[in-house]
Amino acid sequence: MADSQEYSIQVRDFNLWYGDFQALINVTINIKPGIVTSLIGPSGCGKTTLLRSFNRINERYGNVKTTGEIEILSKNILDEDVSVASLRQNVGMVFQRPNPLPISIYDNIAFGLRAHTPRRSLRRTEVDHLVEEALTEAGLWEAVKDNLKRKATGLTLEQQQKLCIARLLPLKPRIILMDEPCSALDAAGIERIEELISDLKQRFTIVVVTHNMAQAKRASDECIYMYLGEIVEHSPTAELFVNPKEEKTAMYIQGRYG
Amino acid sequence: MSSGKKSIRALGAKLLDGAELPIRIAITICGWSSILFVGAIFFFIFKEAAPVFPHLDWGEFFFAHRWIPIPAEGNEPSYGAMGILYGTFAITVVSMFIAMPLGLGAAVYISEFAPPRRKEWLKILIEFLAAIPSIIWGFIGLVIMGPLIQKILGVEVGINLLNASIMVALMAVPLIVSISEDALRAVPDSYREAALALGASKWEIVYKVLFPAARNGLLAASMLGVGRAVGETMAVWMASGNTDNIPENFFNPLLVLERVKALTATIAGEMPDTVHGSEHYQVLFVIGIVLLTISVIINVVSDLIIKGIRKES
Ligand SMILES: Nc1ncnc2c1ncn2[C@@H]1O[C@H](COP(=O)(O)OP(=O)(O)OP(=O)(O)O)[C@@H](O)[C@H]1O
Ligand SMILES: [Mg+2]
């Protein structure tokens, strides 16, 4: 019922500047819940920038200016009165290089929970339970259940990336943003992370930036093609790759496939 | 063609091998020379102090509060250095109470909160602070901090433990700041982004992510601060009151207003009045050995802590 809304992210006339350089130009898109939307485009076209606007983590650079609107869960997240902490509770992010915190596996998973709940009101058993649930969901529980106290930075890259996905889950986010989540992994790792993404997609809105068109084809339902800071095309993935509406999209796909 | 290239490369390698031996010997000598210097320092200090070893009353030296190296006519000198040991200990502890929060706080501010321009300014300022000679700190202690303490706390004398500790703290702060700041800056930015994206506040990131991640460096910083405090001479000599004194009640915070005498200041102050090779002269070298031992212990302990942390992770 909460999802009676048709779209979970609605971007309207969004512009973004790094200093004098305009990295996003008049972006208008609607992203649907319950599916995976991929963002593709040549290097430097603004994929990461757009993704990082959805949880406002771009703001840490200090030289960022924006205009326009980004509506997430029926609220313009660029409004003054928005709490970034609660925005980031609803909108989780997975980074290009797995970045578990240099603390224990357990503490990594509990980190978000602890950041959002007053210490007193968190009961140990409850946290234990949520940690197990998150790790199980990410397919990591069996591998780490006996080593929860070990540092998360000692895991393999694939496990680290699963952990980075798992640590979002206790916060019950609505949207998960992923910036080239597989680029540091080997083929087997890529396959398993893609499986995990498709397992999660019913319950979340997932937006994945990828450089790899085969991955966009395999793992996403809708696909957005960007070029030089602008949205060129947004179509169902199957359509975009077989039958691109725009000349530029066609050139990009063909260029990549020889 | 390719085999020709290969043989040339092999020849080059051989030539390098030939040159390598003298280089290796030179480097080895450089490496060992530092050990040699340390050994030589220990040797000479021990050599100067050694003649007094058999007849120094060690119990008195460590546990008696009776430092009378130049007694009144007809009396025996006594070398009970407990008050002086206390003085150095007290200055170290009090100054670290001031310097560690201050230094760590400044490092956190500079590395995490200050806008880029202010960051640069602060770093320059702190480097300048580090370059101030210790005699200047002594002056500041005497001329500025002393009267200030008198005025603010309403006491008669402003030259005391508190004054010396503040001076030492200010001298240790730049060291603590610059090493802590290096340690914080070395924490990968991806950790900050990870925590930020999970909704943590900047302050939470500091104490939940950066402090654990930079623990080694922060520890090294505080250890070096302690070393600085133990070894500081001139400013301590001038600002502490240089008076051998042990408080009656260690739990009375007002003890910071009493005058103290530090090991370093004792050596600096009394050495010129001694006759080379006299008993007093030799006992001052014993104090030198104590200082040296403290600094060795500080180094070894900090090494062990850092190694322990490394093993754990
Ligand atoms: N912090 C920043 N300051 C200034 N310019 C930036 C910053 N971050 C990105 N840019 C510029 O903005 C443009 C878009 O960058 P962005 O990282 O979003 O591209 P991308 O599509 O993710 O590229 P890639 O595929 O290489 O990851 C690029 O021209 C980049 O140089
Ligand atoms: Mg990118």
Side-chain angles (χ1 to χ4, degrees):
Chain A
M1 300 136 276
D3 287 330
S4 61
Q5 272 232 314
E6 196 181 352
Y7 300 113
S8 59
I9 306 177
Q10 290 179 279
V11 185
R12 276 182 234 111
D13 300 320
F14 184 66
N15 293 284
L16 183 146
W17 291 263
Y18 291 114
D20 293 331
F21 172 73
Q22 185 165 10
L24 294 176
I25 303 159
N26 269 328
V27 171
T28 297
I29 40 170
N30 297 312
I31 293 174
K32 291 189 192 121
I35 61 166
V36 178
T37 302
S38 61
L39 274 173
I40 61 167
S43 193
C45 69
K47 307 181 291 294
T48 298
T49 302
L50 182 59
L51 199 73
R52 286 166 67 93
S53 301
F54 296 156
N55 64 351
R56 288 183 48 181
I57 201 167
N58 249 348
E59 286 172 12
R60 65 189 299 257
Y61 293 133
N63 64 342
V64 175
K65 271 198 323 270
T66 61
T67 63
E69 274 181 27
I70 299 177
E71 197 176 302
I72 289 179
L73 303 171
S74 353
K75 182 127 190 58
N76 180 11
I77 62 161
L78 302 174
D79 280 348
E80 293 277 319
D81 63 340
V82 166
S83 137
V84 278
S86 70
L87 169 67
R88 288 170 189 164
Q89 176 172 6
N90 284 317
V91 184
M93 179 168 248
V94 177
F95 294 81
Q96 194 161 354
R97 277 209 67 83
N99 58 354
L101 294 167
I103 49 182
S104 73
I105 294 170
Y106 185 98
D107 289 338
N108 260 278
I109 307 291
F111 187 93
L113 217 52
R114 288 174 179 155
H116 288 280
T117 348
R119 215 180 175 79
R120 296 271 161 62
S121 61
L122 271 183
R123 267 185 298 128
R124 177 81 200 188
T125 49
E126 192 186 342
V127 180
D128 285 351
H129 172 72
L130 285 166
V131 167
E132 176 174 349
E133 194 178 64
L135 286 168
T136 307
E137 213 164 336
L140 207 53
W141 177 249
E142 283 307 316
V144 303
K145 66 178 178 201
D146 298 322
N147 304 321
L148 292 175
K149 290 253 155 17
R150 281 249 285 278
K151 271 209 174 173
T153 37
L155 295 170
T156 66
L157 280 177
E158 182 192 329
Q159 290 174 325
Q160 288 186 15
Q161 199 61 307
K162 284 182 176 166
L163 179 107
C164 290
I165 296 172
R167 72 182 169 192
L168 305 175
L169 305 178
L171 290 175
K172 312 252 179 298
R174 308 293 289 276
I175 297 167
I176 297 180
L177 310 170
M178 303 188 180
D179 192 355
E180 306 194 36
C182 299
S183 66
L185 306 181
D186 60 12
I190 293 175
E191 196 182 322
R192 282 190 288 266
I193 295 288
E194 283 176 9
E195 272 168 27
L196 178 56
I197 293 174
S198 78
D199 287 346
L200 294 172
K201 76 177 178 190
Q202 267 96 39
R203 289 185 297 129
F204 303 98
T205 303
I206 297 182
V207 187
V208 185
V209 169
T210 175
H211 247 119
N212 178 334
M213 267 184 281
Q215 181 172 61
K217 257 177 156 170
R218 277 195 307 266
S220 71
D221 304 290
E222 293 197 354
C223 190
I224 297 171
Y225 173 62
M226 292 181 69
Y227 185 69
L228 295 179
E230 289 179 284
I231 304 292
V232 176
E233 181 165 352
H234 179 183
S235 311
T237 304
E239 221 168 281
L240 185 132
F241 280 100
V242 177
N243 217 336
K245 284 197 283 268
E246 301 288 329
E247 185 70 15
K248 278 187 203 152
T249 318
M251 271 162 55
Y252 179 67
I253 322 178
Q254 282 158 11
R256 280 299 172 97
Y257 292 120
Chain B
M1 170 76 195
S2 96
S3 86
K5 244 186 199 161
K6 227 179 236 165
S7 69
I8 288 173
R9 200 172 297 155
L11 188 66
K14 226 177 229 159
L15 280 176
L16 259 182
D17 267 353
E20 205 178 290
L21 190 63
I23 294 173
R24 200 186 297 161
I25 290 172
I27 290 172
T28 310
I29 291 172
C30 293
W32 281 93
S33 70
S34 60
I35 298 175
L36 194 76
F37 289 140
V38 173
I41 289 168
F42 270 93
F43 176 77
F44 284 114
I45 293 184
F46 266 94
K47 198 182 84 158
E48 295 303 309
V52 85
F53 283 3
H55 51 268
L56 180 66
D57 183 344
W58 290 94
E60 180 187 49
F61 181 78
F62 283 111
F63 301 111
H65 179 204
R66 194 165 52 236
W67 182 259
I68 311 170
I70 305 166
E73 202 73 28
N75 290 335
E76 283 288 301
S78 66
Y79 301 104
M82 192 165 81
I84 310 174
L85 289 164
Y86 160 77
T88 288
F89 175 77
I91 290 170
T92 306
V93 171
V94 177
S95 67
M96 285 304 109
F97 258 100
I98 303 168
M100 280 179 193
L102 206 63
L104 199 56
V108 168
Y109 179 73
I110 291 175
S111 103
E112 306 300 318
F113 293 91
R117 275 183 70 96
R118 195 173 312 156
K119 190 177 294 197
E120 289 315 309
W121 274 109
L122 282 170
K123 279 167 112 169
I124 291 168
L125 211 72
I126 282 167
E127 263 161 41
F128 172 74
L129 217 59
I132 296 175
S134 71
I135 186 114
I136 302 295
W137 287 113
F139 273 141
I140 295 174
L142 280 179
V143 179
I144 300 173
M145 190 51 72
L148 215 64
I149 290 175
Q150 278 176 312
K151 206 186 256 163
I152 293 175
L153 298 178
V155 291
E156 268 165 43
V157 199
I159 308 299
N160 50 25
L161 171 55
L162 180 62
N163 192 332
S165 299
I166 293 174
M167 292 306 118
V168 170
L170 291 176
M171 294 168 82
V173 157
L175 194 70
I176 296 177
V177 173
S178 75
I179 295 179
S180 306
E181 205 247 335
D182 280 349
L184 291 172
R185 199 152 31 91
V187 176
D189 206 36
S190 65
Y191 293 167
R192 294 183 184 82
E193 295 217 319
L196 216 52
L198 284 166
S201 68
K202 267 189 134 178
W203 177 237
E204 274 173 315
I205 292 175
V206 169
Y207 72 87
K208 286 190 185 165
V209 179
L210 300 181
F211 282 176
R215 201 164 40 170
N216 284 7
L218 300 181
L219 236 105
S222 33
M223 278 299 176
L224 285 168
V226 169
R228 188 86 172 85
V230 171
E232 175 46 38
T233 306
M234 201 42 115
V236 163
W237 187 8
M238 293 165 79
S240 67
N242 200 35
T243 307
D244 183 5
N245 194 6
I246 296 184
E248 275 156 27
N249 178 0
F250 283 98
F251 298 101
N252 183 354
L254 288 180
L255 67 83
V256 299
L257 297 175
E258 286 174 29
R259 295 192 240 181
V260 292
K261 189 177 175 84
L263 295 169
T264 49
T266 304
I267 299 179
E270 297 179 9
M271 192 59 93
D273 299 334
T274 61
V275 178
H276 185 97
S278 69
E279 196 178 53
H280 186 194
Y281 171 91
Q282 289 160 352
V283 174
L284 292 180
F285 271 91
V286 173
I287 292 182
I289 293 174
V290 171
L291 280 170
L292 209 57
T293 310
I294 294 172
S295 69
V296 168
I297 290 173
I298 288 172
N299 272 295
V300 170
V301 167
S302 64
D303 240 39
L304 286 181
I305 294 171
I306 288 170
K307 279 216 186 85
I309 290 167
R310 241 183 242 144
K311 220 177 259 159
E312 188 191 296
S313 56

